[in-house]
């Protein structure tokens, strides 16, 4: 299936000089080195941008075909405080700093928590409490010991 997706991508871009963005780039390459399929990436007549959070899962032969690789680090403490304040209405400097210090979240994770907070406000009609915000932060971790039951 992976080599089929790569072949489809090659046919789509061939001769068109297109820009193509592939999310979850680790899934776009072949499951194992298959020579002709990974070489096809080098022959694309366009620009291929692949994004991934799982570089460890990217096929090494596929990865070598990319001319540029850019790694984005997690935000600095100052940036995290600014993200928290921009995402959570009414959050003061001290609370933003406390959240940024306690949780090493990416900007996307902070946005997820902000969205959950908006859903809570819609469902309950109440303003967000700091306790509820910390609850959303704790729930954002996948490796937590307890799970939230959904459904039955």
């Amino acid at each position: 299936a992976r080599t089929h997706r790569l072949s489809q991508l090659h046919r789509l871009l061939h001769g068109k000089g297109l820009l193509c963005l592939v999310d979850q780039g680790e899934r776009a390459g072949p499951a194992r080195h298959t020579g002709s399929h990974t070489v096809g990436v080098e022959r694309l007549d366009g620009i291929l941008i692949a994004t991934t959070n799982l570089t460890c899962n990217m096929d090494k032969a596929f990865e070598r075909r990319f001319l540029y690789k850019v790694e984005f680090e997690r935000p600095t403490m100052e940036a995290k405080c600014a993200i928290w304040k921009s995402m959570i209405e009414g959050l003061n400097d001290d609370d933003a700093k406390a959240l940024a210090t306690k949780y090493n979240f990416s900007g996307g994770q902070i946005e997820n928590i902000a969205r959950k907070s908006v859903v809570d406000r819609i469902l309950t009609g109440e303003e967000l409490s700091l306790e509820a915000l910390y609850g959303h932060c704790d729930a954002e971790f996948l490796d937590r010991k307890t799970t939230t039951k959904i459904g039955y």
Side-chain angles (χ1 to χ4, degrees):
R2 289 181 182 186
T3 55
H4 177 67
R5 285 193 302 264
L6 195 57
S7 296
Q8 286 178 322
L9 181 61
H10 187 269
R11 282 192 301 275
L12 173 71
L13 294 179
H14 184 67
K16 296 183 180 147
L18 296 175
L19 171 66
C20 181
L21 173 67
V22 177
D23 192 18
Q24 297 180 342
E26 75 282 357
R27 298 181 70 208
R32 56 189 153 83
H33 179 44
T34 56
S36 63
H37 290 94
T38 54
V39 171
V41 172
E42 295 169 338
R43 295 186 189 138
L44 291 175
D45 183 25
I47 297 174
L48 173 64
I49 299 173
T51 65
T52 184
N53 292 332
L54 302 171
T55 55
C56 60
N57 291 348
M58 182 151 315
D59 179 84
K60 297 303 175 202
F62 184 61
E63 180 184 347
R64 283 194 302 270
R65 279 19 188 215
F66 288 91
L67 183 59
Y68 296 101
K69 298 172 189 91
V70 180
E71 181 176 359
F72 295 94
E73 300 291 331
R74 291 201 182 264
T76 64
M77 180 62 67
E78 183 179 296
K80 285 191 287 187
C81 289
I83 294 169
W84 276 111
K85 287 187 68 174
S86 72
M87 293 284 172
I88 306 291
E89 188 177 323
L91 192 65
N92 66 43
D93 290 339
D94 291 337
D95 290 338
K97 187 172 183 178
L99 288 162
T101 301
K102 183 172 181 176
Y103 301 102
N104 187 26
F105 288 144
S106 67
Q109 288 173 301
I110 295 171
E111 185 175 11
N112 285 344
I113 292 161
R115 288 178 179 179
K116 289 176 188 176
S117 300
V118 169
V119 170
D120 277 358
R121 198 170 0 161
I122 291 168
L123 294 176
T124 66
E126 298 174 8
E127 288 301 312
L128 176 69
S129 71
L130 199 54
E131 182 181 330
L133 186 57
Y134 274 94
H136 288 312
C137 291
D138 291 337
E140 186 66 18
F141 292 110
L142 290 177
D143 60 353
R144 62 191 184 273
K145 301 258 187 277
T146 60
T147 59
T148 303
K149 203 172 183 182
I150 298 174
Y152 302 101

